[in-house]
Amino acid sequence: MSEAAAALDPEEALLWQSLKSDGSSSAREQLFVRHAAFARTIAAKLHRTESRGDIEIDDMRQLAYAGLLEALDRFEPARAIPFRAYALHRITGSIRDGLSRMSEVREQITWRHRMRRERAQSLSEAAVPSAGSMDDAMAQLAEIAVGLALGFMLEGSGLLEASDEGSSESRSQPTGYNTTLWNQMLRDLRSELDRLPGQQQVVLRTHYIDGVGFDQIAHLLGVTKGRVSQLHRAALALLRKRMDKRGHFHLER
């Protein structure tokens, strides 16, 4: 066993063994989560030094995640090099390669806007046209709106900042929303998020909290982008039902 492998904590060593010997998607997900903050740190540093003010931090994070995923696939634990030292090169290279491909006339739609469009498309796929009543159509629209609202709450819940910097209940909340009711809704939402089934929880956490796009989540889970969209839609639908039972987002029928 190399010094680098011996330096791993036992849990991570088992994850690497499971990933490399069995191709375990669960081990891959857990290793991604363990090192996602490291990738974001590199993205933040390069954003300060190389973005020239024309690149959004979210775009830098996507490039960093792509490098991290590549590093997870290519890393060999038996090598005499720690994973993060190996991943640093891949992540930095991914960001710089991505920046070099971006023309001065950049896309008008940023990564965040593209992700929100993916979310809306995912939710609207369930609202197929029918010969139902106007009330049915309005109910479908209301459910889509609630799904989008839940997404915005997850995105702005402060979980990303808390995991990276150590915790603050209201760090990312606008002052106007810093109320007892709002904080209770966030606590309930986080609790229900923790209770979601495996892949549904992975999709919501990596997408909303880590800011990973559907394409990269599909690569992470080893499924199609369409399947990620299905998991996203099902997870938000289940969250809505459970939040409804807690007295939030109640839809009148």
Side-chain angles (χ1 to χ4, degrees):
M1 180 182 293
S2 70
E3 292 182 8
L8 291 174
D9 67 76
E11 184 177 355
E12 180 159 344
L14 288 174
L15 290 174
W16 280 114
Q17 181 181 356
S18 181
L19 174 61
K20 296 303 176 178
S21 63
D22 305 326
S24 167
S25 60
S26 175
R28 196 161 182 262
E29 294 157 17
Q30 292 179 65
L31 287 166
F32 180 88
V33 170
R34 278 175 170 252
H35 298 289
F38 174 68
R40 291 193 293 272
T41 299
I42 298 170
K45 180 179 179 180
L46 292 180
H47 183 259
R48 289 192 299 270
T49 60
E50 302 189 19
S51 71
R52 295 177 296 180
D54 62 338
I55 306 295
E56 293 194 7
I57 185 62
D58 289 320
D59 293 316
M60 301 286 272
R61 284 174 176 165
Q62 300 313 309
L63 296 170
Y65 290 144
L68 176 58
L69 287 168
E70 181 184 0
L72 289 173
D73 287 340
R74 294 177 176 270
F75 180 66
E76 294 296 335
R79 292 180 178 177
I81 180 174
F83 173 70
R84 289 194 175 183
Y86 175 83
L88 174 63
H89 173 73
R90 295 283 176 181
I91 294 169
T92 301
S94 176
I95 293 173
R96 288 181 172 150
D97 287 346
L99 293 178
S100 70
R101 291 192 299 267
M102 292 181 182
S103 64
E104 292 184 7
V105 183
R106 299 181 63 238
E107 294 182 42
Q108 303 252 330
I109 302 175
T110 65
W111 179 262
R112 184 177 294 274
H113 292 160
R114 292 196 296 275
M115 286 202 299
R116 287 175 177 170
R117 184 176 60 190
E118 284 183 328
R119 300 169 193 172
Q121 181 178 352
S122 169
L123 291 169
S124 64
E125 285 169 357
V128 294
S130 66
S133 66
M134 180 64 72
D135 287 344
D136 291 336
M138 293 301 294
Q140 284 183 330
L141 289 174
E143 290 192 5
I144 292 173
V146 170
L148 292 173
L150 283 168
F152 280 115
M153 286 181 66
L154 286 168
E155 190 175 52
S157 66
L159 287 179
L160 176 59
E161 289 82 358
S163 65
D164 285 351
E165 300 174 14
S167 168
S168 173
E169 180 74 17
S170 61
R171 181 182 290 116
S172 65
Q173 298 171 12
T175 302
Y177 292 107
N178 192 12
T179 64
T180 301
L181 178 59
W182 176 257
N183 288 332
Q184 183 60 53
M185 288 177 67
L186 286 183
R187 284 192 291 270
D188 290 346
L189 185 60
R190 294 173 189 177
S191 175
E192 294 300 345
L193 178 62
D194 290 339
R195 296 176 55 226
L196 287 177
Q199 286 194 328
Q200 290 186 14
Q201 185 177 150
V202 169
V203 168
L204 293 197
R205 285 190 176 278
T206 52
H207 183 68
Y208 288 103
I209 297 173
D210 291 322
V212 182
F214 280 15
D215 283 325
Q216 290 176 334
I217 295 175
H219 182 65
L220 176 66
L221 296 179
V223 298
T224 66
K225 184 178 177 181
R227 177 55 179 159
V228 172
S229 180
Q230 291 174 349
L231 289 166
H232 169 257
R233 184 169 62 249
L236 285 181
L238 184 54
L239 268 185
R240 184 190 63 75
K241 290 178 182 178
R242 291 178 175 178
M243 291 292 283
D244 188 8
K245 288 182 179 180
R246 288 178 177 257
H248 309 300
F249 296 110
H250 181 65
L251 297 178
E252 296 293 339
R253 297 295 185 185

